[in-house]
Every structure is written in structure tokens, then in C-alpha cells.
Amino acid sequence: STSNGGGGRTPLLDGDDLDSGVVNDGDVPSSTNTAPAAERREYTLLQALTTVDLYLLFGAYFCSIGAGVTLLNNIGEMVVSLGEWGDREVVQPDEIDRSAIAFLVTLFALANTLSRLSAGFIGDKFAHRMDRINLLLFALALMFSASLYFSLAPRVAPHYYIGVLLAGYAYGTAFAVVVTLGLAWGVKAFGGIVGLLGLGPALGSQCLSTLLAGGVNDFMAQKRAIIVGETRFCVGVECYRYTLFATTGVCAIGFM
């Protein structure tokens, strides 16, 4: 059987190999048993909560997925805000380019799916050449690039295609990698640890998408807005630019 984890140890930073053959009390080896099981330390959920790495990983997950959800949840409103509405205050629903919005969402979903598959493959293929944590840092760098691109892109919806692809790929990569990184604390409390890490995206969505993006959008809508049906939309690049600058900064903090 494996030994229990110590109080202040940092599994990720101390270089524990996620493919080093996890063996639990039932002596069931992992699929890649390349190192003695004694090198793997098993943590309870309470012990994992005393490690720095859990909070670092939670923060990175919060930043990457939170920024991605902010883009995904507001992509339709962003397209509407970039429309050439002149001085009009009321716009008919059939005047909204819903095909452009649907195409952007489809691109995001496609990149998200492909990234989950490729992240898993790359993580397995090069497990002995690089740490899986590098894939999460890669996802954060991509999400940083996507948020920055969106904040500076011209006021034309087609320019969003690049940003959506970057954001979708980063989003899926982060989701795929964090689950495997949960093995750094062993398998004894793996479900609880992954479940706890899963609160990061939920909290990120609430803070960045609902509170930040929603608050900034409502504030800017006081200056210029249109009515579509019964819904009020903010108009202008300022509606989301400051939010995107903020998510760019959040991703930079997460990367550090």
C-alpha cells in the first residue's frame, strides 16, 4: 500500500509523475506503471486541502474556464453590440444576424471537442517528456490570447472567428487536463478532489460572466442601447471591451 501525504507538501511543484504507476490498497496498477508505487503518496481530501498546489490548480482552473465561459455566454450579445444600428433605438428581431452567432458558437464547440481529444492524446503520448501541467499553462496562454484578441479586434463579426477558435481550444484543453492533474494527490480521494476543483469553473462563471460582464454591460447600456423585441442590448465596443481586458488580466494572473 502507499503512504499518506504530508501536511504542506506540493505534489505538482515537487514533480510527482502522474504516470508513475498508482497502486492503491488493492494493488491495482495503473495503465502506465513506470515507477515504484512507493513514490506515489496518497492524500485524503483534508490532507490535499493543506497543500499549496490544490489552490494553485483551482485558481488556474477558475481563470481559464471563467474567461472561456464569459466569452461563450456573451458571444451573441457581442455580435449585436457591434452592429451598425445608427441612431435607432428599436430593432426588429429578424434584423439580428443569428446565422453569424450560430456559426461562432459552432466554431467554439468544434474547437472545444477537438482540444479535449488532442489534449488527452498529447498528454499520454508525451507524458515522459513533459509535465501535464504544461498543457494547462498552454490553455491559459491561449485563453489570454483569445481575450486580448477579442478586446482589440475590429468591429466586424468575421474577425471573431480566430478568437473563438482560440478560446474554444483553450476551454477544452483546460477541462481535459485538470481531471488528470487530480491524480497528483493519488486515488484515495480522487473523486472529492476533482469535484472540489470543479467548483472553479462554476465560481469563475459567476464572478466573470454574471457579475463582471453583466455589470459592465448594464452600465454601458445606459449610454447607448437598442431594444430587440423585449430585450435591451448594449451597443458599442465599450460594452465588452473592459470586461475582456479584465479576463485577459485574470488569465495572466492564472498563468503566473
Side-chain angles (χ1 to χ4, degrees):
S1 63
T2 56
S3 59
N4 290 331
R9 195 163 178 267
T10 56
L12 295 176
L13 298 181
D14 286 350
D16 282 358
D17 186 358
L18 296 182
D19 298 282
S20 61
V22 178
V23 178
N24 58 20
D25 292 336
D27 293 332
V28 180
S30 68
S31 60
T32 54
N33 190 6
T34 59
E39 296 181 4
R40 173 59 57 97
R41 303 183 69 174
E42 291 288 338
Y43 291 74
T44 65
L45 182 58
L46 290 178
Q47 288 171 336
L49 287 172
T50 66
T51 62
V52 176
D53 280 5
L54 186 68
Y55 299 98
L56 293 176
L57 188 56
F58 184 93
Y61 208 20
F62 169 94
C63 296
S64 58
I65 300 301
V69 170
T70 301
L71 288 174
L72 181 60
N73 286 353
N74 295 283
I75 192 66
E77 287 82 353
M78 290 170 66
V79 172
V80 174
S81 71
L82 297 178
E84 299 294 340
W85 308 115
D87 296 328
R88 299 171 61 187
E89 295 183 357
V90 178
V91 174
Q92 298 302 315
D94 57 4
E95 296 182 69
I96 302 298
D97 189 359
R98 301 188 183 278
S99 62
I101 297 173
F103 185 68
L104 288 171
V105 173
T106 301
L107 278 182
F108 187 98
L110 179 62
N112 177 27
T113 301
L114 293 177
S115 66
R116 296 189 189 213
L117 294 173
S118 61
F121 174 79
I122 293 172
D124 291 338
K125 186 69 174 178
F126 301 101
H128 303 294
R129 298 183 183 180
M130 69 175 185
D131 295 330
R132 293 178 193 264
I133 191 67
N134 291 335
L135 288 175
L136 182 58
L137 295 177
F138 172 72
L140 277 165
L142 277 185
M143 192 63 76
F144 170 90
S145 302
S147 296
L148 184 61
Y149 181 85
F150 269 111
S151 64
L152 300 176
R155 292 185 57 182
V156 182
H159 285 277
Y160 277 8
Y161 297 161
I162 296 175
V164 163
L165 288 173
L166 290 175
Y169 200 89
Y171 187 88
T173 299
F175 258 117
V177 171
V178 168
V179 175
T180 61
L181 290 176
L183 287 172
W185 290 269
V187 298
K188 189 173 183 178
F190 176 73
I193 291 171
V194 172
L196 183 63
L197 291 172
L199 295 176
L203 186 60
S205 173
Q206 181 66 24
C207 293
L208 300 179
S209 179
T210 303
L211 298 179
L212 176 63
V216 173
N217 183 273
D218 290 342
F219 177 77
M220 291 299 175
Q222 297 176 10
K223 300 180 179 180
R224 177 74 176 95
I226 58 173
I227 304 297
V228 182
E230 298 180 354
T231 305
R232 189 166 180 254
F233 288 90
C234 179
V235 175
V237 294
E238 295 83 6
C239 296
Y240 289 97
R241 172 165 289 176
Y242 300 114
T243 296
L244 292 168
F245 278 140
T247 56
T248 301
V250 165
C251 289
I253 294 172
F255 188 87
M256 293 186 291

PDB file of all heavy atoms in Angstrom, residues 213-224 232 234:
ATOM      1  N   ALA A 213     -19.171  40.792 -16.415  1.00  0.00           N
ATOM      2  CA  ALA A 213     -19.670  41.115 -17.754  1.00  0.00           C
ATOM      3  C   ALA A 213     -21.072  41.714 -17.697  1.00  0.00           C
ATOM      4  O   ALA A 213     -21.378  42.698 -18.383  1.00  0.00           O
ATOM      5  CB  ALA A 213     -19.658  39.862 -18.630  1.00  0.00           C
ATOM      6  N   GLY A 214     -21.934  41.129 -16.868  1.00  0.00           N
ATOM      7  CA  GLY A 214     -23.291  41.647 -16.761  1.00  0.00           C
ATOM      8  C   GLY A 214     -23.331  43.056 -16.198  1.00  0.00           C
ATOM      9  O   GLY A 214     -24.070  43.916 -16.686  1.00  0.00           O
ATOM     10  N   GLY A 215     -22.513  43.301 -15.170  1.00  0.00           N
ATOM     11  CA  GLY A 215     -22.490  44.629 -14.563  1.00  0.00           C
ATOM     12  C   GLY A 215     -21.967  45.695 -15.504  1.00  0.00           C
ATOM     13  O   GLY A 215     -22.558  46.784 -15.616  1.00  0.00           O
ATOM     14  N   VAL A 216     -20.861  45.394 -16.193  1.00  0.00           N
ATOM     15  CA  VAL A 216     -20.288  46.361 -17.138  1.00  0.00           C
ATOM     16  C   VAL A 216     -21.243  46.603 -18.293  1.00  0.00           C
ATOM     17  O   VAL A 216     -21.438  47.749 -18.737  1.00  0.00           O
ATOM     18  CB  VAL A 216     -18.918  45.864 -17.658  1.00  0.00           C
ATOM     19  CG1 VAL A 216     -18.413  46.778 -18.775  1.00  0.00           C
ATOM     20  CG2 VAL A 216     -17.902  45.800 -16.524  1.00  0.00           C
ATOM     21  N   ASN A 217     -21.868  45.545 -18.782  1.00  0.00           N
ATOM     22  CA  ASN A 217     -22.801  45.683 -19.900  1.00  0.00           C
ATOM     23  C   ASN A 217     -23.987  46.555 -19.522  1.00  0.00           C
ATOM     24  O   ASN A 217     -24.407  47.433 -20.290  1.00  0.00           O
ATOM     25  CB  ASN A 217     -23.276  44.297 -20.336  1.00  0.00           C
ATOM     26  CG  ASN A 217     -24.193  44.347 -21.540  1.00  0.00           C
ATOM     27  OD1 ASN A 217     -25.395  44.509 -21.404  1.00  0.00           O
ATOM     28  ND2 ASN A 217     -23.620  44.191 -22.721  1.00  0.00           N
ATOM     29  N   ASP A 218     -24.548  46.340 -18.338  1.00  0.00           N
ATOM     30  CA  ASP A 218     -25.692  47.146 -17.896  1.00  0.00           C
ATOM     31  C   ASP A 218     -25.302  48.610 -17.724  1.00  0.00           C
ATOM     32  O   ASP A 218     -26.084  49.519 -18.047  1.00  0.00           O
ATOM     33  CB  ASP A 218     -26.239  46.593 -16.577  1.00  0.00           C
ATOM     34  CG  ASP A 218     -26.922  45.246 -16.750  1.00  0.00           C
ATOM     35  OD1 ASP A 218     -27.272  44.911 -17.895  1.00  0.00           O
ATOM     36  OD2 ASP A 218     -27.096  44.538 -15.743  1.00  0.00           O
ATOM     37  N   PHE A 219     -24.096  48.842 -17.226  1.00  0.00           N
ATOM     38  CA  PHE A 219     -23.636  50.216 -17.033  1.00  0.00           C
ATOM     39  C   PHE A 219     -23.468  50.924 -18.381  1.00  0.00           C
ATOM     40  O   PHE A 219     -23.892  52.072 -18.553  1.00  0.00           O
ATOM     41  CB  PHE A 219     -22.320  50.220 -16.263  1.00  0.00           C
ATOM     42  CG  PHE A 219     -21.731  51.584 -16.066  1.00  0.00           C
ATOM     43  CD1 PHE A 219     -22.242  52.447 -15.105  1.00  0.00           C
ATOM     44  CD2 PHE A 219     -20.669  52.021 -16.851  1.00  0.00           C
ATOM     45  CE1 PHE A 219     -21.719  53.716 -14.934  1.00  0.00           C
ATOM     46  CE2 PHE A 219     -20.134  53.284 -16.678  1.00  0.00           C
ATOM     47  CZ  PHE A 219     -20.653  54.130 -15.716  1.00  0.00           C
ATOM     48  N   MET A 220     -22.835  50.237 -19.334  1.00  0.00           N
ATOM     49  CA  MET A 220     -22.605  50.839 -20.637  1.00  0.00           C
ATOM     50  C   MET A 220     -23.902  51.008 -21.428  1.00  0.00           C
ATOM     51  O   MET A 220     -24.010  51.902 -22.270  1.00  0.00           O
ATOM     52  CB  MET A 220     -21.612  49.980 -21.443  1.00  0.00           C
ATOM     53  CG  MET A 220     -20.200  49.997 -20.887  1.00  0.00           C
ATOM     54  SD  MET A 220     -19.519  51.668 -20.899  1.00  0.00           S
ATOM     55  CE  MET A 220     -17.944  51.390 -20.046  1.00  0.00           C
ATOM     56  N   ALA A 221     -24.886  50.153 -21.147  1.00  0.00           N
ATOM     57  CA  ALA A 221     -26.159  50.248 -21.863  1.00  0.00           C
ATOM     58  C   ALA A 221     -26.909  51.521 -21.512  1.00  0.00           C
ATOM     59  O   ALA A 221     -27.808  51.936 -22.251  1.00  0.00           O
ATOM     60  CB  ALA A 221     -27.026  49.026 -21.546  1.00  0.00           C
ATOM     61  N   GLN A 222     -26.545  52.140 -20.411  1.00  0.00           N
ATOM     62  CA  GLN A 222     -27.171  53.407 -20.043  1.00  0.00           C
ATOM     63  C   GLN A 222     -26.784  54.522 -21.012  1.00  0.00           C
ATOM     64  O   GLN A 222     -27.506  55.512 -21.156  1.00  0.00           O
ATOM     65  CB  GLN A 222     -26.772  53.793 -18.621  1.00  0.00           C
ATOM     66  CG  GLN A 222     -27.241  52.809 -17.555  1.00  0.00           C
ATOM     67  CD  GLN A 222     -26.739  53.168 -16.168  1.00  0.00           C
ATOM     68  OE1 GLN A 222     -26.187  54.248 -15.950  1.00  0.00           O
ATOM     69  NE2 GLN A 222     -26.917  52.273 -15.221  1.00  0.00           N
ATOM     70  N   LYS A 223     -25.648  54.360 -21.692  1.00  0.00           N
ATOM     71  CA  LYS A 223     -25.181  55.369 -22.643  1.00  0.00           C
ATOM     72  C   LYS A 223     -25.750  55.141 -24.040  1.00  0.00           C
ATOM     73  O   LYS A 223     -26.122  56.087 -24.731  1.00  0.00           O
ATOM     74  CB  LYS A 223     -23.647  55.352 -22.695  1.00  0.00           C
ATOM     75  CG  LYS A 223     -22.964  55.646 -21.353  1.00  0.00           C
ATOM     76  CD  LYS A 223     -21.456  55.603 -21.490  1.00  0.00           C
ATOM     77  CE  LYS A 223     -20.764  55.904 -20.178  1.00  0.00           C
ATOM     78  NZ  LYS A 223     -19.281  55.854 -20.293  1.00  0.00           N
ATOM     79  N   ARG A 224     -25.783  53.882 -24.468  1.00  0.00           N
ATOM     80  CA  ARG A 224     -26.274  53.575 -25.820  1.00  0.00           C
ATOM     81  C   ARG A 224     -26.805  52.153 -25.834  1.00  0.00           C
ATOM     82  O   ARG A 224     -26.100  51.205 -25.481  1.00  0.00           O
ATOM     83  CB  ARG A 224     -25.132  53.707 -26.837  1.00  0.00           C
ATOM     84  CG  ARG A 224     -25.528  53.331 -28.264  1.00  0.00           C
ATOM     85  CD  ARG A 224     -26.396  54.424 -28.901  1.00  0.00           C
ATOM     86  NE  ARG A 224     -26.683  54.112 -30.291  1.00  0.00           N
ATOM     87  CZ  ARG A 224     -27.791  53.483 -30.705  1.00  0.00           C
ATOM     88  NH1 ARG A 224     -28.693  53.083 -29.817  1.00  0.00           N
ATOM     89  NH2 ARG A 224     -28.002  53.265 -31.980  1.00  0.00           N
ATOM     90  N   ARG A 232     -33.167  44.376 -24.046  1.00  0.00           N
ATOM     91  CA  ARG A 232     -32.336  45.562 -24.221  1.00  0.00           C
ATOM     92  C   ARG A 232     -30.886  45.149 -24.409  1.00  0.00           C
ATOM     93  O   ARG A 232     -30.340  44.386 -23.627  1.00  0.00           O
ATOM     94  CB  ARG A 232     -32.468  46.458 -22.979  1.00  0.00           C
ATOM     95  CG  ARG A 232     -31.846  47.831 -23.079  1.00  0.00           C
ATOM     96  CD  ARG A 232     -32.377  48.665 -21.923  1.00  0.00           C
ATOM     97  NE  ARG A 232     -31.845  50.016 -21.926  1.00  0.00           N
ATOM     98  CZ  ARG A 232     -30.920  50.447 -21.075  1.00  0.00           C
ATOM     99  NH1 ARG A 232     -30.420  49.625 -20.160  1.00  0.00           N
ATOM    100  NH2 ARG A 232     -30.489  51.692 -21.121  1.00  0.00           N
ATOM    101  N   CYS A 234     -26.854  46.411 -25.154  1.00  0.00           N
ATOM    102  CA  CYS A 234     -25.858  47.476 -25.194  1.00  0.00           C
ATOM    103  C   CYS A 234     -25.253  47.543 -26.591  1.00  0.00           C
ATOM    104  O   CYS A 234     -25.104  46.512 -27.269  1.00  0.00           O
ATOM    105  CB  CYS A 234     -24.771  47.204 -24.158  1.00  0.00           C
ATOM    106  SG  CYS A 234     -23.452  48.432 -24.109  1.00  0.00           S
TER     107      CYS A 234
END
